[in-house]
Amino acid sequence: MKKIRNFCVIAHIDHGKSTLSDRLLERTQTISQRDMKNQALDDMDIERERGITIKSHAIQMYYKHTDGETYTYNLIDTPGHVDFSYEVSRSIAACEGALLLVDASQGVQAQTISNLYLAIEHDLEIIPILNKVDMESAMVEEMSDQIIDLIGCDKEDIILASGKTGIGIEDILSAIVDRIPAPKGDPKEPLQALIFDSMFNSFRGVIAYFRIINGVINKGDDIRFVNTGKVYSADEIGILQLNQVPKNRLEAGNVGYVITGIKESKEIKVGDTITQDKNPCQSAIQGFEEVKPMVFAGIYPIDNDDFEDLRDSLEKLQLNDASLVFEPETSIALGFGFRCGFLGMLHLEIIQERLSREFDQEVITTVPNVSYNAYTKRDEHLIINTPADLPEPTLLDRVEEPYIKAQIITKPEYIGAIMTLCMEKRGELLNQTYLTTERVELSFDLPLAEIVFDFYDRLKSITRGYASFDYAPTDYRASDLVKLDIKLNGDSVDALSSLVHRTKADSFGRQICKRLKELLPRQQFMIAIQAAIGAKIIARETISALRKDVTAKCYGGDITRKRKLLEKQKKGKKKMRQIGTVQVPQKAFLEVLKLGDNG
Amino acid sequence: MAGIYIHVPFCRQACHYCSFHFSTSLRLKEEMMSAMLIEMQQVENKPSMIDTIYFGGGTPSILSIEEIKLLMDQIYRHYEVSGDVEVTLEANPEDLSEDYVKGLRDLGVNRLSIGIQSFLEDDLQYMNRAHSAEQSLQAIEYALSGGIRDVSLDLMFGLIGSDQSAWRASLEQIIDLSPTHISCYNLTVEEQTAFAHWREKGQLQEVDENIQYEQYLMTHELLSSAGYDHYEISNYAKPGHRSRHNQSYWNSQPYIGIGPSAHSFNGERRSWNVANNAKYLKQIKEGQERESELLSPSDRYNEYIMLGLRTAKGIAKSQIDEFPKKMRESFDAVSARLLGQGVLKSSGDTIYLSPEQWYISDAISAELFWDAD
């Protein structure tokens, strides 16, 4: 156990985590250059394209230190987006150390800080690394000061590195032995292993990744998952190199995988503890939480006939993404579909994209909302995941909405713009800390619903990208919410309904009408777009009737070309949904929320 | 029954709105003549009977009577031609003289389609027409008095120079002239025209869509009450004087296209010559294959819908029954909705658009189309 080191990498998107990880794998000869598709750890297409790691992975490598000994390194990769902070916390809990990777041109970002705090909370040894020092824009002195301020280390502790050129890689590898403590834990104790991730393999079922705190696990053991209480046989255990390497026995301190024949990933919960069924541990490892969806939206097939296919696809997605939840719902406008719960907006977009890429399912996503607590006058407590479920105002006593604490790190020159944005979003400034003269951290108390509605895009645009953002849920508070309905030619479109704060209903209604006017194509008749609260119309726009849509001439030489043109037009219509008499393009349901800078 | 279309790909100058194939260089005219004569002879599977002959362009009246005679003779030499064949020639006003009209009549041309476009000098200049308004009136007189059975006059509306009262005056003037056939085209800005280029640069003045629609309705009302039958979105005829040739396109009857860019259709396959004079000459010289497409049931269904909804004839439900079940069912579902909305109308076996709705017939066709994917 003394020769094992378990560590993760804390970094902001684009700060070079994947490239640096690749260099470590290369230098330890875990992976040959030839085998390496760039960034070996990100193996989903979407991850590669977005340049972020959505699901964490782990990999084992062997390092021959200058002391002559060979050490086992377990690098536990962490996801890099706010939506996945619980998974990050479980990965951190499986490590004794963390490489804090900071881009030498860009400095510390909000995401990095919140993960760093998590690591410090878990007593991880931090190895600070300034990455991309070879770039012309690198500001080594300034960024070093920033890191020193942040973690209170000495300047000599900071390793200067470049994943691209390989500078500092050797220093990092030996610092891992020298600075990160070996795992503590006792192989003689009853088994206690922390599940920090799982993945789905269509041939082998669900594979759980774990870190053994105490005890041993043998192939064929009956193992129990403490929080779910279920017992399975450990059909295969092993370590994770570029491929899985089966072993007969793994001991305390090590990281590995187990295959039990479980077919659905919801049976394996990240953060759960694995123990021996015959000789169980006294207590579960702390920190387990049921992952709770934060954002809800309806997902509907474009064609109602595809409802069952959509169900199949969602079920398959859920096999390897246990954080996706869904249940059937009906919309008057859209027919049969599913109300789905997501960890956040990125998660929603990823699911939508995976449905399209992996299952060829084009879907309509309705206006997303958060989960509300409603209390009726008869003191019933209802959880509202869709605006349609909100009781009539006469029956309603109060509604509570979820709040978050948001951390934004930016340059001082953008403070004003961010304050304006957050106040408009009903936020309160809690704290303002200068990390350096050029970098300030703002914390806000904000309703979660407000960051669902185009917060992140606008934050990026008002700061020209110089802001990073992280959030954590805090509590539920009573709020004056109203249900805003959108009507097309008098028909309410339930899929466009939303719950909004009363003070913002008018402007929100006006803008949603305006946006719809841009998004809906003209049709053979006039279209009235209205926003209403109950019976009261608060905003209205009209789209004039399509007057002219014909070419004057159609003779022998025009027919083929014209037919093809109309066939293309027809394909465009296929991506639309008929609501009452009005054709609504698929993208309108989500695009309608992108209200622009006046939102 | 089948038609022959001869495309004469030359013009004296380029009209700013026109997207048909033509060249303003007459250098290849002689060579073009012989290539077209060769092509007429080379056509495989010639139809049993030719019912209509149509000289279009370009500007067919750019040809001399002798040249037109060569083409006519070649048709009679290689095809069976019906006794009451309709022979149309498109002419520009500046080309028509008393003698020329007489020469055409003697060759058997019994339908003259004259590109008047406008009675207003400003409009003509804006469109870059090669004739004056006065020349137009002179040409019309030669045609009407020259013993040609049918005279069709082309006008355009939606032009920036014609307001409502000017357009009304033009319509009244044409009614007074009393040709047997009138085509009134709403200006369409086609790609690769001067107008399209100006529009891209933001320099094209355009008439408000609502005003164009009013002009369209005015045309329908005035010509209808003057005894013209509005039988296709842009075409009006006195009873018995519809263009047989053009109707054959809309009824999916076979036709043979001769000359660059001309299309042929044999009931199953549509083929076309390259829209380039030099390449066409090479194609004929080297006996190259034309481009073509075999119409699938879905293509034929979509064309039937598209063409039917542009004409008074409409769509026959009994014809729809000839198409595959999935198309029939889709037609029934979508047409039921559009009938319910009052967009489509129905009478006996026929489902049709009223002339007011022809103005948006593309959008409605697309809704009824079958998407083969």
Side-chain angles (χ1 to χ4, degrees):
Chain A
M1 210 159 43
K2 286 197 180 109
K3 290 188 199 150
I4 295 178
R5 296 292 183 276
N6 298 321
F7 62 97
C8 58
V9 183
I10 294 172
H12 190 69
I13 295 168
D14 286 342
H15 281 199
K17 182 173 75 170
S18 298
T19 313
L20 184 93
S21 305
D22 289 351
R23 288 297 93 78
L24 298 179
L25 297 177
E26 255 173 50
R27 195 61 63 92
T28 55
Q29 287 165 0
T30 311
I31 179 170
S32 71
Q33 246 163 339
R34 191 165 47 88
D35 287 344
M36 177 158 311
K37 290 190 252 169
N38 274 327
Q39 303 183 4
L41 289 185
D42 292 344
D43 60 8
M44 279 166 75
D45 278 357
I46 299 178
E47 291 184 4
R48 205 175 296 259
E49 273 170 38
R50 296 193 174 207
I52 50 170
T53 306
I54 297 164
K55 293 281 288 175
S56 54
H57 300 259
I59 193 160
Q60 195 167 79
M61 43 195 145
Y62 304 103
Y63 172 66
K64 195 160 195 298
H65 193 40
T66 46
D67 66 8
E69 301 283 351
T70 299
Y71 290 81
T72 299
Y73 284 4
N74 289 305
L75 165 59
I76 294 173
D77 202 17
T78 52
H81 190 274
V82 281
D83 288 356
F84 302 95
S85 55
Y86 173 71
E87 294 194 14
V88 176
S89 83
R90 296 303 83 204
S91 296
I92 284 172
C95 299
E96 278 79 31
L99 309 181
L100 170 65
L101 191 65
V102 175
D103 184 313
S105 324
Q106 294 184 30
V108 178
Q109 306 287 318
Q111 183 75 62
T112 318
I113 292 197
S114 58
N115 289 346
L116 177 67
Y117 289 161
L118 268 175
I120 292 172
E121 258 173 58
H122 283 87
D123 287 328
L124 264 53
E125 180 63 37
I126 309 293
I127 301 179
I129 300 165
L130 259 186
N131 195 23
K132 305 192 190 181
V133 291
D134 58 313
M135 304 238 312
E136 235 172 78
S137 52
M139 295 182 288
V140 174
E141 286 303 310
E142 200 185 334
M143 297 310 166
S144 298
D145 289 347
Q146 226 181 71
I147 292 173
I148 293 165
D149 282 353
L150 200 63
I151 60 173
C153 62
D154 291 331
K155 196 173 173 190
E156 304 75 66
D157 294 336
I158 301 172
I159 299 174
L160 303 185
S162 163
K164 205 166 126 203
T165 64
I167 305 169
I169 301 298
E170 203 56 48
D171 296 339
I172 295 169
L173 284 165
S174 65
I176 291 168
V177 174
D178 298 338
R179 297 199 218 166
I180 296 176
K184 300 183 195 68
D186 188 346
K188 295 187 186 75
E189 293 274 306
L191 175 65
Q192 239 186 345
L194 170 70
I195 299 177
F196 60 85
D197 195 10
S198 70
M199 80 166 259
F200 176 79
N201 177 301
S202 44
F203 300 104
R204 316 212 59 190
V206 185
I207 303 168
Y209 296 166
F210 58 80
R211 151 74 197 276
I212 307 176
I213 309 294
N214 289 306
V216 295
I217 182 169
N218 298 293
K219 183 181 174 182
D221 283 352
D222 285 333
I223 52 170
R224 185 195 299 172
F225 292 3
V226 177
N227 284 291
T228 64
K230 295 195 171 163
V231 177
Y232 305 93
S233 162
D235 296 342
E236 180 181 319
I237 61 167
I239 55 164
L240 298 149
Q241 292 190 339
L242 201 61
N243 299 306
Q244 290 150 356
V245 182
K247 299 275 173 191
N248 287 321
R249 177 185 171 89
L250 291 172
E251 288 195 10
N254 216 340
V255 170
Y257 70 91
V258 59
I259 296 172
T260 60
I262 293 175
K263 291 281 180 273
E264 290 186 34
S265 55
K266 57 185 171 191
E267 287 189 36
I268 290 184
K269 295 188 189 293
V270 169
D272 203 349
T273 305
I274 303 175
T275 192
Q276 299 282 359
D277 186 44
K278 299 232 169 66
N279 178 23
C281 56
Q282 292 297 308
S283 58
I285 298 159
Q286 286 192 345
F288 173 76
E289 280 174 32
E290 290 279 353
V291 179
K292 268 201 348 221
M294 305 286 278
V295 173
F296 292 81
I299 288 192
Y300 289 81
I302 290 185
D303 188 336
N304 263 323
D305 294 346
D306 295 336
F307 173 73
E308 286 303 331
D309 289 345
L310 179 59
R311 184 204 297 275
D312 283 353
S313 309
L314 286 170
E315 278 169 358
K316 283 186 186 132
L317 279 180
Q318 204 181 40
L319 288 180
N320 64 10
D321 183 351
S323 51
L324 169 69
V325 297
F326 61 91
E327 56 180 33
E329 76 167 0
T330 332
S331 151
I332 299 157
L334 301 175
F336 293 105
F338 298 92
R339 175 92 345 202
C340 302
F342 308 94
L343 298 175
M345 286 302 281
L346 177 78
H347 190 213
L348 184 159
E349 281 174 36
I350 288 167
I351 294 293
Q352 199 175 358
E353 212 165 305
R354 289 186 66 190
L355 281 171
S356 159
R357 285 190 197 197
E358 296 169 32
F359 301 95
D360 200 20
Q361 288 259 342
E362 294 297 331
V363 295
I364 293 168
T365 308
T366 66
V367 175
N369 58 268
V370 299
S371 186
Y372 297 93
N373 287 328
Y375 297 88
T376 64
K377 290 194 169 135
R378 298 208 313 242
D379 212 29
E380 295 161 295
H381 174 204
L382 306 168
I383 292 171
I384 307 296
N385 289 337
T386 171
D389 289 348
L390 191 73
E392 288 301 310
T394 49
L395 305 172
L396 198 61
D397 180 58
R398 67 187 192 281
V399 184
E400 290 177 349
E401 66 174 322
Y403 273 70
I404 56 160
K405 184 182 173 189
Q407 275 177 308
I408 298 170
I409 293 179
T410 187
K411 291 185 173 178
E413 62 205 89
Y414 299 119
I415 293 178
I418 293 172
M419 291 285 292
T420 310
L421 172 66
C422 290
M423 276 159 66
E424 185 202 301
K425 296 286 189 183
R426 298 190 282 136
E428 288 280 358
L429 181 66
L430 295 176
N431 201 358
Q432 171 177 326
T433 315
Y434 278 80
L435 303 172
T436 67
T437 49
E438 270 308 295
R439 198 153 288 263
V440 62
E441 179 187 347
L442 305 168
S443 359
F444 287 93
D445 182 48
L446 272 165
L448 175 63
E450 296 285 352
I451 65 161
V452 171
F453 291 116
D454 91 321
F455 178 80
Y456 198 52
D457 285 346
R458 285 185 58 204
L459 179 67
K460 275 192 290 190
S461 97
I462 60 173
T463 60
R464 296 164 212 274
Y466 283 109
S468 57
F469 168 71
D470 192 25
Y471 69 86
T474 49
D475 53 359
Y476 272 78
R477 283 176 231 165
S479 189
D480 189 7
L481 295 171
V482 291
K483 183 165 166 248
L484 183 76
D485 292 318
I486 300 295
K487 297 177 179 205
L488 296 179
N489 279 352
D491 296 330
S492 257
V493 184
D494 53 2
L496 290 172
S497 292
S498 52
L499 296 175
V500 289
H501 196 260
R502 189 180 299 277
T503 55
K504 303 187 73 182
D506 277 16
S507 71
F508 188 66
R510 270 199 304 278
Q511 291 185 45
I512 233 171
C513 289
K514 221 166 116 192
R515 191 82 182 98
L516 277 172
K517 186 176 175 170
E518 294 162 11
L519 290 167
L520 300 184
R522 290 204 297 163
Q523 284 171 235
Q524 292 93 298
F525 38 82
M526 193 184 82
I527 303 169
I529 307 166
Q530 294 168 308
I533 299 171
K536 189 179 159 215
I537 304 296
I538 58 165
R540 183 192 164 98
E541 292 280 346
T542 44
I543 298 177
S544 59
L546 178 66
R547 263 284 116 84
K548 179 182 174 183
D549 189 5
V550 71
T551 44
K553 295 187 182 184
C554 186
Y555 298 116
D558 307 314
I559 296 172
T560 295
R561 185 173 57 94
K562 193 171 163 63
R563 187 194 77 231
K564 290 188 170 157
L565 206 75
L566 294 185
E567 281 171 348
K568 217 166 127 196
Q569 203 170 318
K570 171 78 183 178
K571 283 206 192 310
K573 280 182 195 281
K574 240 183 131 181
K575 295 208 161 183
M576 300 213 221
R577 200 54 193 261
Q578 184 87 24
I579 292 177
T581 52
V582 183
Q583 307 254 14
V584 181
Q586 171 202 4
K587 65 173 176 125
F589 292 92
L590 256 189
E591 289 283 313
V592 76
L593 294 179
K594 296 187 176 152
L595 297 174
D597 279 347
N598 309 312
Chain B
M1 292 295 195
I4 293 187
Y5 174 81
I6 303 106
H7 188 84
V8 181
F10 300 104
C11 288
R12 285 204 180 71
Q13 63 191 57
C15 302
H16 288 336
Y17 57 86
C18 179
S19 66
F20 288 116
H21 168 68
F22 63 87
S23 165
T24 49
S25 156
L26 303 184
R27 193 168 54 83
L28 296 173
K29 200 171 116 196
E30 300 304 320
E31 230 181 306
M32 186 61 67
M33 279 298 298
S34 33
M36 291 200 291
L37 293 172
I38 293 168
E39 192 184 17
M40 283 178 180
Q41 170 204 328
Q42 280 178 347
V43 169
E44 287 171 23
N45 302 318
K46 295 189 177 64
S48 58
M49 186 62 84
I50 296 299
D51 185 40
T52 61
I53 297 169
Y54 196 106
F55 292 89
T59 312
S61 55
I62 221 165
L63 299 181
S64 65
I65 293 295
E66 292 68 34
E67 286 166 325
I68 297 169
K69 183 172 187 310
L70 279 174
L71 295 167
M72 284 295 285
D73 287 351
Q74 184 77 333
I75 293 173
Y76 274 90
R77 186 171 307 132
H78 291 283
Y79 297 83
E80 201 67 42
V81 179
S82 153
D84 72 337
V85 64
E86 173 193 275
V87 183
T88 306
L89 185 125
E90 289 178 348
N92 271 359
E94 67 270 24
D95 293 326
L96 292 187
S97 65
E98 231 176 316
D99 288 347
Y100 192 77
V101 172
K102 187 171 168 295
L104 292 176
R105 186 197 64 199
D106 293 345
L107 286 177
V109 174
N110 50 27
R111 193 169 178 276
L112 205 51
S113 171
I114 310 176
I116 303 298
Q117 314 311 353
S118 174
F119 293 114
L120 299 175
E121 226 43 83
D122 285 352
D123 279 348
L124 293 173
Q125 272 175 27
Y126 189 66
M127 292 187 276
N128 199 37
R129 294 291 293 175
H131 57 94
S132 66
E134 205 190 308
Q135 276 177 307
S136 300
L137 293 174
Q138 186 63 65
I140 294 168
E141 204 194 306
Y142 292 142
L144 291 173
S145 59
I148 302 276
R149 186 181 71 203
D150 280 306
V151 173
S152 176
L153 303 180
D154 284 3
L155 284 182
M156 280 175 84
F157 63 95
L159 297 168
I160 200 72
S162 312
D163 61 9
Q164 306 308 72
S165 61
W167 178 241
R168 179 179 291 274
S170 295
L171 289 170
E172 282 164 353
Q173 189 170 356
I174 209 165
I175 289 167
D176 279 348
L177 291 165
S178 194
T180 56
H181 189 279
I182 300 170
S183 298
C184 286
Y185 296 109
N186 192 165
L187 173 68
T188 306
V189 179
E190 300 278 2
E191 278 173 44
Q192 293 178 351
T193 60
F195 279 171
H197 180 65
W198 295 346
R199 179 191 267 178
E200 224 161 83
K201 294 207 299 188
Q203 291 167 353
L204 183 71
Q205 278 183 284
E206 290 184 81
V207 177
D208 180 85
E209 223 173 75
N210 288 303
I211 293 175
Q212 297 188 46
Y213 182 58
E214 280 170 29
Q215 293 184 344
Y216 170 77
L217 289 181
M218 188 194 290
T219 310
H220 170 75
E221 278 158 28
L222 262 60
L223 294 185
S224 299
S225 50
Y228 289 91
D229 175 17
H230 193 179
Y231 70 106
E232 193 256 3
I233 172 160
S234 304
N235 285 290
Y236 299 81
K238 292 239 173 104
H241 293 275
R242 293 182 181 188
S243 163
R244 268 155 52 193
H245 184 83
N246 287 340
Q247 285 186 108
S248 75
Y249 295 135
W250 307 327
N251 294 335
S252 302
Q253 285 162 359
Y255 44 89
I256 292 164
I258 303 293
S261 85
H263 285 56
S264 301
F265 179 57
N266 66 7
E268 287 171 348
R269 184 175 283 278
R270 186 169 292 119
S271 62
W272 54 90
N273 286 326
V274 57
N276 175 295
N277 288 359
K279 285 185 185 159
Y280 168 77
L281 293 175
K282 189 161 176 269
Q283 175 191 315
I284 298 299
K285 200 180 283 169
E286 297 177 4
Q288 290 163 4
E289 195 72 24
R290 298 168 142 220
E291 254 193 277
S292 75
E293 65 164 356
L294 185 66
L295 297 186
S296 66
S298 138
D299 294 337
R300 280 190 284 115
Y301 169 84
N302 287 347
E303 288 187 1
Y304 181 67
I305 299 286
M306 174 179 94
L307 297 170
L309 291 183
R310 295 174 62 90
T311 58
K313 194 164 154 273
I315 294 166
K317 282 184 273 184
S318 50
Q319 276 291 117
I320 294 291
D321 287 343
E322 306 291 312
F323 288 103
K325 182 158 171 270
K326 53 192 181 184
M327 295 174 204
R328 272 177 0 234
E329 286 174 355
S330 145
F331 179 85
D332 288 346
V334 181
S335 63
R337 172 166 61 77
L338 293 170
L339 283 163
Q341 288 171 17
V343 178
L344 281 178
K345 295 204 162 44
S346 145
S347 153
D349 188 45
T350 309
I351 287 182
Y352 64 99
L353 285 177
S354 63
E356 295 79 16
Q357 300 281 38
W358 284 343
Y359 213 63
I360 50 164
S361 81
D362 280 7
I364 295 162
S365 293
E367 286 202 39
L368 281 161
F369 262 30
W370 174 255
D371 184 2
D373 297 339

